[in-house]
Amino acid sequence: IYLILYHAIFVFFAWTYWKSVFTLPQQPNEKFHLSYTDKERYENEERPEVQKQMLVDMAKNLPVYTRTESGAIRFCDRCHLIKPDRCHHCSVCAMCVLKMDHHCPWVNNCIGFSNYKFFLQFLAYAVLYCLYIATTVFSYFIKYWRGELPSVRSKFHVLFLLFVACMFFVSLVILFGYHCWLVSRNKTTLEAFYTPVFISGPEKNGFNLGFIKNIQQVFGENKKFWLIPVGSSPGDGHSFPMRSINESQNPLLANEQPWEDNEDDNQGE
């Protein structure tokens, strides 16, 4: 029974690790890239205010509702593209990554829209894997403590397994708990440190849809795929539902001033 359970956990642990490592980060599609003509116009223009207006004109038909701190369109001058919402440039991968969370040296890959679900599953199965090893070895540690293990070699194995399993369990459960909190708030690691800025201004909970919907944004609506490392995250990674309907989400109101009638706003809510 121990061997069957061990290998079942190990298979999912290795499977999710493999998916986290070898699932390539997803880049913005071609419609967010500047055409050759627009790129030449933008680079030849020396006036910053004119460049800013050019980006506004280029992005008017794109589903882009987040801005820089100065209120300008988010633009990557290395990839020459208008950044979709929640997209960031990874200096290690040298490319823009959709819904970038962070670059993880443990999996040697950039964690973003395409593989964030697999990364969370990898952490979960790694925690379970370490916990299972620690609990099954602990009884033999008690025997070692009581002097009931005759073999010197087995004593070393028991101590080594228990120490390594407990050490990784503590570190992984902290990391996994932090990402569970991020998922419950529908945030990325970058958004936890840098508040997203919308057309209406900074909003740290701009993508928070509620606990259940936040989980579904990562794992999908079909619960049978939640524990299996297959792609089930909704959407295409270029646009995301936001917390409330306001001017930052409605293109018709994008150039309008915020509503001033607070009474009407309260009635709408």
Side-chain angles (χ1 to χ4, degrees), residues 205-264:
N205 293 317
F207 296 103
N208 191 344
L209 307 175
F211 182 75
I212 299 298
K213 290 185 178 180
N214 290 342
I215 295 177
Q216 292 175 347
Q217 284 296 300
V218 176
F219 294 94
E221 296 182 0
N222 196 336
K223 294 182 179 180
K224 69 181 181 180
F225 294 125
W226 284 14
L227 301 179
I228 304 174
V230 295
S232 60
S233 300
D236 58 1
H238 292 83
S239 60
F240 301 89
M242 288 173 264
R243 182 178 181 130
S244 60
I245 301 298
N246 53 33
E247 62 272 15
S248 67
Q249 296 163 266
N250 191 336
L252 297 177
L253 302 177
N255 297 321
E256 299 293 332
Q257 296 296 325
W259 296 109
E260 297 180 357
D261 191 347
N262 294 329
E263 182 177 354
D264 292 343

Side-chain angles (χ1 to χ4, degrees), residues 112-129:
F113 175 78
S114 62
N115 57 1
Y116 186 58
K117 174 190 174 182
F118 306 143
F119 178 73
L120 285 175
Q121 291 174 326
F122 162 64
L123 292 180
Y125 286 116
V127 168
L128 183 60
Y129 184 61

Side-chain angles (χ1 to χ4, degrees), residues 109-200:
N109 199 4
C110 199
I111 306 301
F113 175 78
S114 62
N115 57 1
Y116 186 58
K117 174 190 174 182
F118 306 143
F119 178 73
L120 285 175
Q121 291 174 326
F122 162 64
L123 292 180
Y125 286 116
V127 168
L128 183 60
Y129 184 61
C130 293
L131 180 63
Y132 183 81
I133 292 176
T135 53
T136 53
V137 170
F138 186 73
S139 61
Y140 294 94
F141 174 77
I142 297 298
K143 290 182 179 181
Y144 159 77
W145 191 263
R146 293 176 178 176
E148 299 176 2
L149 288 179
S151 173
V152 177
R153 182 176 299 177
S154 64
K155 292 179 180 179
F156 172 77
H157 289 169
V158 167
L159 289 176
F160 180 78
L161 276 175
L162 185 64
F163 173 76
V164 172
C166 291
M167 180 182 65
F168 276 98
F169 172 78
V170 172
S171 59
L172 285 169
V173 78
I174 294 173
L175 181 60
F176 178 62
Y178 174 70
H179 278 279
C180 287
W181 177 81
L182 290 177
V183 171
S184 68
R185 299 293 189 273
N186 198 4
K187 292 182 178 181
T188 63
T189 300
L190 292 174
E191 290 168 354
F193 288 96
Y194 305 100
T195 301
V197 179
F198 297 86
I199 296 176
S200 57

Side-chain angles (χ1 to χ4, degrees), residues 41-58 73:
R41 288 176 50 223
Y42 181 82
E43 291 180 345
N44 293 332
E45 180 58 57
E46 298 180 354
R47 293 169 294 179
E49 64 277 4
V50 177
Q51 286 183 324
K52 182 178 178 179
Q53 185 58 44
M54 289 172 61
L55 292 177
V56 171
D57 296 336
M58 297 173 190
I73 298 293

